[in-house]
Amino acid sequence: MSQSNSASDSGIGARGLWSSKFAFILAATGSAVGLGNVWKFPYVTGENGGGAFVLVYLLCIFIIGIPIMMAEVFIGRNGRHNPITSFRLVAERNLASSGWRISAIIGMLAAFIILSFYSVIGGWAASYVGHAAMGDFTGGTAESVGEMFGGLLASPAKLLLWHTVFMALVVLVVARGLKGGLERAVTILMPALFILLLMVVGYATTTGHFGEAVSFLFNPDFSALTVNGVLVALGHAFFTLSLGMAIMMAYGSYLSRDVSIGRTAVTVAIMDTVVALLAGLAIFPVVFANGLEAGAGPGLIFQTLPLAFGNMPMGTLFGTLFFVLLLFAAWTSGISLLEPVVEWIEEKTSFARVGSAVIAGGACWLLGIASILSLNVWADVAPLGMFAAFEGKTIFDLLDYFTANIMLPLSGLLTAIFVGWFVAKESLKSDLALQESTFGLWYNLIRFLTPIAVAIVFVYNLLA
């Protein structure tokens, strides 16, 4: 399979490469570490019983998430094009049907949909930067902070403004390309976010409820874990590692061949998981100290952390810095969600990078308006309410559900089957450059355990 290996170095041209392995790791981690960790992980953990959910989530990350991440990066680096074209090229080189590129199509569509409502949530973070800087959290109570958040959600005009600001930031960076935009941002912002999270965790230890939070997160109570909780854990593993969205294929297309796919995938997964657990340790002590519900839903971080900042020394400063960095974490993830679509438009049309970014971002912005309205004007609109499983689910809820629980697992499943069964073993060995025992473990996972586990979840979701 020397043809496959040599081909993976072609097509670089003006696309360029990451300047270093560290740059790729930061970019991939920047994609993985975002609102999924700091916003979503704590509240879905709270909704699904705590420690048992965390344990299942970790198993999903290291048994299912890492193998699929490696497979996606492999396809991107071998193809050196947008995800759809890369999938087709790898299939053709291995004498497989080009129809397998449906996996990348589903992934790119999922990324586009996710960004449409992710941008709305990123707008929440942007709006809270101003609240924190003006000292609006100082001396706050659970009621006052809740009213602040409720007022934001009730105003379509405010949400539209911040959604527009966030999407403009994403388009701005993607339009500037690989090194001038993304690399420059993540090199500073990701380490800073990690440091600030440690500082907030340090504050959480003073609330008197830190031990309760540790027990909640790390003491498994399997009686509190439902089948649905297991499915949510798998869906969130895909969501937080940016899997099934064609992102790692897009990023992999810029990756030098002297970088180990296996080691970088493990590094990204570890960094992502550490941030998610730190977010839980930062948030839950405040939740318990203020008598709030651990499963309070998507608004958890916007109603609990402000309480911490409003009642801690230099809270205005720390609160402002945190929400600025939360915004930047969302920003790097938003960039990664837009990148696959922009790559595709740029390669398949006459539009240059800037035009491709504006078109993709503009279309995504329009779709995001539906999510905005579902939080207020259309709050009682449940498009699939005639089905019991979707009763009461708004447009926002449905977009989140279908992408996280159906589209991402389906794309990941197809990728795992394709790489595990239709790509030559010798080509994988050469490109992944793993030790024999490690390669054997990964190869058996990607061929058997990973697709079986994802298939079970996917079928259950279809039948539920």
Side-chain angles (χ1 to χ4, degrees):
M1 275 295 171
S2 59
Q3 179 185 3
S4 177
N5 291 334
S6 62
S8 65
D9 279 330
S10 66
I12 297 174
R15 292 170 56 81
L17 295 173
W18 299 106
S19 60
S20 66
K21 178 177 72 173
F22 183 64
F24 171 76
I25 289 175
L26 281 183
T29 304
S31 173
V33 172
L35 295 177
N37 302 77
V38 187
W39 162 67
K40 194 172 184 180
F41 177 78
Y43 89 74
V44 296
T45 299
E47 288 177 337
N48 291 282
F53 175 84
V54 171
L55 184 58
V56 173
Y57 168 76
L58 292 176
L59 289 173
C60 290
I61 289 288
F62 289 101
I63 295 178
I64 299 173
I66 290 176
I68 293 180
M69 180 186 293
M70 291 171 62
E72 291 189 354
V73 175
F74 164 81
I75 291 172
R77 188 164 73 175
N78 242 252
R80 293 290 191 213
H81 285 80
N82 71 79
I84 296 175
T85 301
S86 288
F87 223 115
R88 176 180 61 79
L89 290 173
V90 174
E92 291 175 352
R93 291 168 192 159
N94 287 274
L95 305 181
S97 169
S98 61
W100 282 103
R101 69 184 185 277
I102 187 66
S103 174
I105 295 174
I106 294 172
M108 285 176 54
L109 180 60
F112 179 84
I113 294 173
I114 289 171
L115 180 57
S116 73
F117 65 82
Y118 193 93
S119 176
V120 176
I121 303 163
W124 300 352
S127 71
Y128 265 56
V129 172
H131 284 303
M134 295 176 64
D136 293 346
F137 303 149
T138 304
T141 63
E143 292 74 20
S144 65
V145 173
E147 289 176 0
M148 183 186 301
F149 184 63
L152 174 64
L153 298 190
S155 172
K158 289 181 181 178
L159 290 176
L160 180 62
L161 169 64
W162 293 114
H163 167 54
T164 304
V165 169
F166 184 85
M167 188 61 70
L169 290 173
V170 170
V171 171
L172 176 65
V173 173
V174 175
R176 295 184 65 184
L178 179 66
K179 296 182 180 179
L182 182 57
E183 276 198 28
R184 185 176 299 174
V186 299
T187 301
I188 299 172
L189 300 176
M190 295 315 300
L193 178 62
F194 184 79
I195 292 171
L196 191 60
L197 263 179
L198 288 177
M199 295 172 66
V200 178
V201 171
Y203 165 76
T205 63
T206 69
T207 62
H209 292 264
F210 191 75
E212 185 180 353
V214 171
S215 177
F216 181 73
L217 280 172
F218 299 108
N219 184 24
D221 177 11
F222 288 98
S223 65
L225 184 67
T226 64
V227 173
N228 184 67
V230 174
L231 300 177
V232 171
L234 178 58
H236 188 62
F238 276 87
F239 186 93
T240 190
L241 286 180
S242 301
L243 301 178
M245 308 180 200
I247 291 172
M248 292 304 163
M249 296 180 204
Y251 279 10
S253 70
Y254 301 119
L255 186 63
S256 170
R257 280 192 50 79
D258 60 2
V259 175
S260 168
I261 292 176
R263 284 194 292 270
T264 53
V266 171
T267 301
V268 171
I270 290 174
M271 292 175 68
D272 173 77
T273 303
V274 166
V275 171
L277 294 176
L278 283 174
L281 291 175
I283 292 174
F284 285 122
V286 181
V287 171
F288 299 139
N290 290 276
L292 302 174
E293 289 293 328
L300 182 61
I301 188 176
F302 296 97
Q303 299 179 70
T304 56
L305 278 185
L307 290 174
F309 296 130
N311 294 281
M312 67 185 286
M314 300 180 70
T316 297
L317 173 62
F318 285 125
T320 303
L321 289 175
F322 178 83
F323 281 105
V324 166
L325 291 168
L326 178 64
L327 170 61
F328 285 143
W331 192 2
T332 57
S333 294
I335 293 162
S336 69
L337 289 164
L338 190 62
E339 176 66 26
V341 181
V342 172
E343 271 193 358
W344 181 82
I345 294 175
E346 186 180 16
E347 291 184 15
K348 295 297 182 180
T349 71
S350 60
F351 290 101
R353 183 75 176 186
V354 173
S356 299
V358 170
I359 291 172
C364 199
W365 176 84
L366 283 173
L367 180 59
I369 295 176
S371 289
I372 288 175
L373 295 177
S374 74
L375 296 171
N376 35 73
V377 179
W378 294 348
D380 296 327
V381 177
L384 298 181
M386 69 286 295
F387 302 104
F390 302 114
E391 185 176 357
K393 286 188 179 294
T394 64
I395 295 174
F396 184 104
D397 297 329
L398 291 174
L399 293 178
D400 184 21
Y401 176 84
F402 280 111
T403 52
N405 295 302
I406 296 180
M407 296 180 75
L408 303 190
L410 177 57
S411 178
L413 172 63
L414 293 175
T415 299
I417 293 173
F418 170 74
V419 172
W421 292 94
F422 292 89
V423 176
K425 186 175 182 179
E426 294 75 15
S427 177
L428 293 169
K429 272 188 177 181
S430 174
D431 215 51
L432 296 181
L434 299 171
Q435 293 183 350
E436 188 67 30
S437 59
T438 305
F439 176 81
L441 173 62
W442 172 82
Y443 193 61
N444 283 302
L445 284 174
I446 203 69
R447 283 169 65 87
F448 301 108
L449 181 58
T450 300
I452 289 173
V454 178
I456 289 173
V457 172
F458 178 66
V459 172
Y460 181 89
N461 283 336
L462 289 179
L463 299 178

